[in-house]
Amino acid sequence: MRRVKPLWTAQELADATGGRVEGDFAAKGVAFDSREIEPGDLFIAMKGESDDGHRFVEGAYAAGAAGAIVSRAVSGPHVLVADTNTALNAIGRASRGRSSAHIFGVTGSVGKTGTKEALFAALDRAAPGTAHRSLKSYNNHTGVPLSLARMPREARSGVFEMGMNHAGELAALTRLVRPHVAIVTAIAPAHRQYFASDEAIADAKGEIFQGLEPGGTAIIPHDSPHRDRLVAAARPHAARIWTFGHGEGADIRARDSVPAQGRGTLVSASLPEAELTFTISQLGDHWVSNALAVIGAVHAVGGALAAAGLALADMAGLKGRGERHRIALDGGEALLIDESYNANPASMAATLKTLEREKGAARRIAVLGAMRELGEGSAAFHAALAGPIEAARVDFAVLVGEEMAALAKALGQKVKMTHVPDAASAIDALRNRLAPGDAILVKGSNSVGLAAVVEVLAGGKS
């Protein structure tokens, strides 16, 4: 995207935050982690529970920061504000206020990041260099305003992921983002530690519709048991409500989905006043669902459906969310599927189904980490994975974390397995076990640390 003006001038930042300029500057980027500072960036000295970003201001300047947002005077160009955390929100709000872009908000229990990345790819394919999205999983009370603050003033579209683990969080985030299109990908028992029921999770996810701009569109999973609940949440705020899925009556419906030649899924979809046949490079029914939400969002703003289809066909796997590696072993190769970033009961079942579809695999090996934040039902949720593991015809399972004891008991002697306490032990359990032709799935909650397993295997150190 060709930028004719800097992302932020010192005076614009002062106007947004009510702060005072001390030394003029212009910034081309924004960060609140001094390790991410690049030359010309703005550094926001955030205060956290255990640390204070003001300790890193000098390092940020040394890394090339053009200026800083601070709450106490420093020896470099800065804008002095009363509170830097409040200032970040103000900058995000100002960025949204000056933008003429189509804004999309994405939430859901599963599929948020993948859908956000796919939607960005679709928008960028149609107008290269003009789309913006939140990076990584910056989807909370600091990540969302930071992602807004980073949005170029010339952007034509912006895609923002929004997450939550308590009621009321999404309501605040969506009023900051003010989307023209709000997507709920799916409702599943994630963060059940903080919610009494799946219905309560649906209510919390439905808060995203409260920030819709006038004339906005709500996009809701048709096949979800919580569809009507989400529709009711959207109705007071959305001018248009579209559902997506496989079921009869969905506004964005997959009429047919079959394996594509080579890899992926070929989908024929019906949309309001449109039809589209496209290929999804990613495997699994959950990706068909994500793709329907994406093409629905593009269609809602009058975007290029053909470009969206091409982007979905070309989309590579995401690190920790389906990235695939060919790992070299004596005598050949094995396939490693990296799903190590996160896990809940719904995503575990969906990904195990994908493993089952690796028809050419000599053996299917599942390295499954504990699912966190499931509350009192944790043991039952873990034990219930026994069915999907058997259905996936897993030849050998490595179960990681104490929560997996319930699953180990449920599996009994049905599947060859080992139960280990941590990622390091999982690596030991796999050592010298892998053979050419194996398909190895690695999936678990991020806090279990199974990314270390992927790193070792993908590095050829198995």
Side-chain angles (χ1 to χ4, degrees):
M1 187 181 304
R2 184 173 180 270
R3 186 170 298 151
V4 295
K5 294 181 67 175
L7 181 62
W8 292 103
T9 67
Q11 190 57 55
E12 286 173 333
L13 292 166
D15 292 342
T17 62
R20 186 175 75 246
V21 176
E22 298 289 345
D24 195 25
F25 64 90
K28 67 177 187 179
V30 183
F32 53 57
D33 185 336
S34 61
R35 295 166 296 186
E36 295 182 358
I37 288 291
E38 296 183 359
D41 281 354
L42 170 72
F43 175 63
I44 303 178
M46 301 278 285
K47 290 184 178 181
E49 293 181 5
S50 59
D51 216 337
D52 185 346
H54 290 83
R55 296 201 306 116
F56 306 102
V57 171
E58 187 174 331
Y61 284 132
I69 300 288
V70 294
S71 59
R72 60 175 183 261
V74 295
S75 59
H78 63 272
V79 174
L80 187 65
V81 299
D83 180 83
T84 53
N85 295 45
T86 301
L88 173 62
N89 277 276
I91 296 166
R93 193 172 295 109
S95 177
R96 176 65 184 90
R98 73 184 183 185
S99 178
S100 60
H102 285 126
I103 303 297
F104 303 82
V106 181
T107 195
S109 301
V110 292
K112 292 187 296 296
T113 301
T115 300
K116 178 255 297 181
E117 291 293 329
L119 180 52
F120 167 79
L123 297 165
D124 190 64
R125 185 66 170 256
T130 68
H132 170 75
R133 93 285 207 187
S134 46
L135 298 180
K136 303 179 184 177
S137 288
Y138 282 174
N139 62 17
N140 63 7
H141 66 286
T142 55
V144 170
L146 177 66
S147 298
L148 280 166
R150 288 173 165 176
M151 182 166 58
R153 63 181 81 223
E154 306 91 355
R156 291 171 55 183
S157 57
V159 187
F160 298 91
E161 178 181 339
M162 289 178 267
M164 63 87 207
N165 58 20
H166 291 85
E169 286 185 81
L170 265 176
L173 295 177
T174 191
R175 289 189 174 105
L176 196 62
V177 172
R178 291 165 38 211
H180 297 101
V181 179
I183 300 170
V184 176
T185 58
I187 303 298
H191 305 303
R192 273 295 296 272
Q193 178 180 345
Y194 306 110
F195 293 94
S197 65
D198 288 357
E199 288 77 11
I201 293 172
D203 290 341
K205 294 297 184 184
E207 292 173 11
I208 192 173
F209 305 125
Q210 296 176 20
L212 273 169
E213 286 285 89
T217 301
I219 297 184
I220 289 169
H222 178 84
D223 305 324
S224 170
H226 307 288
R227 176 195 63 202
D228 293 345
R229 200 176 192 95
L230 291 169
V231 168
R235 192 170 287 121
H237 310 286
R240 181 171 55 187
I241 299 173
W242 284 349
T243 62
F244 65 92
H246 290 81
E248 194 74 38
D251 298 295
I252 304 134
R253 181 171 176 251
R255 297 194 318 275
D256 296 294
S257 57
V258 297
Q261 282 190 345
R263 180 173 170 266
T265 306
L266 179 67
V267 180
S268 294
S270 298
L271 299 90
E273 301 180 354
E275 303 278 337
L276 183 67
T277 297
F278 60 98
T279 300
I280 308 166
S281 63
Q282 306 302 305
L283 295 172
D285 293 341
H286 57 300
W287 264 107
V288 174
S289 181
N290 293 347
L292 293 172
V294 166
I295 63 169
V298 171
H299 191 46
V301 298
L305 289 177
L310 292 171
L312 290 166
D314 290 343
M315 189 174 175
L318 306 176
K319 182 178 176 64
R321 295 180 173 88
E323 189 174 27
R324 297 160 78 89
H325 303 268
R326 288 286 173 183
I327 57 176
L329 299 170
D330 289 342
E333 290 183 331
L335 171 66
L336 173 63
I337 305 168
D338 177 13
E339 288 274 0
S340 61
Y341 185 78
N342 212 348
N344 59 46
S347 65
M348 277 284 201
T351 310
L352 282 163
K353 187 181 291 186
T354 300
L355 179 63
E356 190 276 330
R357 291 176 179 172
E358 294 295 335
K359 301 299 184 185
R363 296 186 302 167
R364 296 173 181 83
I365 297 173
V367 184
L368 305 178
M371 301 177 291
R372 299 279 160 81
E373 296 186 355
L374 291 179
E376 294 180 358
S378 178
F381 283 124
H382 282 86
L385 292 177
I389 288 172
E390 291 181 72
R393 296 183 293 147
V394 170
D395 296 286
F396 178 56
V398 180
L399 310 181
V400 188
E402 62 179 295
E403 297 94 332
M404 281 294 186
L407 175 57
K409 182 178 179 180
L411 283 171
Q413 303 299 313
K414 299 173 185 175
V415 174
K416 187 177 181 182
M417 66 173 180
T418 183
H419 180 205
V420 299
D422 52 35
S425 302
I427 293 168
D428 290 339
L430 292 169
R431 209 174 297 279
N432 300 319
R433 280 185 181 266
L434 303 184
D438 286 347
I440 308 119
L441 168 67
V442 180
K443 187 168 182 64
S445 287
N446 193 40
S447 58
V448 180
L450 295 188
V453 177
V454 173
E455 184 177 356
V456 168
L457 297 186
K461 302 174 185 177
S462 57

